[in-house]
Amino acid sequence: MKVKEIRELTTEEIISKIAESKEEIFNLRMQQATGNLEKPSRIKELRKDVARMKTILAERKEG
């Protein structure tokens, strides 16, 4: 998810997206533990997306 796309979302939408992403990360880690993970790079991608969203939320709180 691009920064521009995240900035267009409302604060509530960003918070819900963070929750969805964290749940997906959890599920991917479970797949990884059982050896069924097809795309390991997806975990890293989601973690970076969560960090981007949290950064934008922090920027909104400052300003």
Side-chain angles (χ1 to χ4, degrees):
M1 183 170 244
K2 303 277 186 198
V3 175
K4 184 177 179 183
E5 295 171 359
I6 297 170
R7 289 190 192 278
E8 292 172 355
L9 299 174
T10 65
T11 302
E12 292 79 25
E13 289 174 328
I14 293 174
I15 292 169
S16 68
K17 289 259 186 207
I18 289 172
E20 290 172 15
S21 294
K22 284 187 174 189
E23 188 175 330
E24 188 175 346
I25 290 169
F26 176 79
N27 291 332
L28 290 173
R29 284 199 176 136
M30 294 307 253
Q31 288 179 11
Q32 188 176 30
T34 59
N36 296 331
L37 186 61
E38 292 180 17
K39 198 173 174 188
S41 61
R42 180 77 176 133
I43 296 173
K44 186 176 181 181
E45 182 182 317
L46 283 171
R47 287 180 66 225
K48 286 186 176 190
D49 284 346
V50 169
R52 282 187 196 108
M53 289 185 263
K54 284 185 174 182
T55 300
I56 291 171
L57 284 178
E59 288 174 359
R60 288 184 182 179
K61 286 182 183 178
E62 286 178 7

